[in-house]
Amino acid sequence: MSPLPFGWSGKDGRSSFFLTCDHAGALVPRKLNSLGVSTEDLRRHIAWDIGAAAVAVKLAARLAAFLILQTYSRLVIDCNRPPAAQNRWCD
């Protein structure tokens, strides 16, 4: 079974704020076989925004806000680009 493509924090948040964090993880669904990318490269910035999840979790806690985290690598899905956008990593 593959890992979930998202995580969350602050599900009981009292704030009127709702936070999201793209590129929060570097997970790749098992059926994609790591996309042929080495484990070393999946730990680099090309696969995710290092530290973004930690900052988002702290901010959500400080604001008492609900947070959704994108845990799949940006190499799998880049949530802040339109579906028709060309992936520059595949050129």
Side-chain angles (χ1 to χ4, degrees):
M1 178 177 253
S2 286
L4 289 175
F6 64 91
W8 62 89
S9 177
K11 68 179 180 174
D12 297 323
R14 299 174 312 277
S15 173
S16 59
F17 293 106
F18 171 79
L19 304 177
T20 63
C21 183
D22 293 345
H23 310 154
L27 299 175
V28 176
R30 291 189 209 318
K31 67 182 176 180
L32 295 180
N33 297 318
S34 298
L35 300 170
V37 178
S38 71
T39 301
E40 180 180 297
D41 282 339
L42 285 173
R43 291 184 184 133
R44 295 179 43 224
H45 180 68
I46 63 167
W48 64 309
D49 284 340
I50 301 165
V55 170
V57 167
K58 286 181 182 181
L59 182 60
R62 189 104 187 231
L63 296 172
F66 183 74
L67 166 68
I68 296 278
L69 301 135
Q70 175 199 343
T71 57
Y72 278 1
S73 169
R74 73 167 109 225
L75 300 174
V76 174
I77 182 168
D78 196 344
C79 291
N80 61 8
R81 296 205 197 294
Q86 184 176 1
N87 185 342
R88 65 186 176 127
W89 302 110
C90 296
D91 291 345

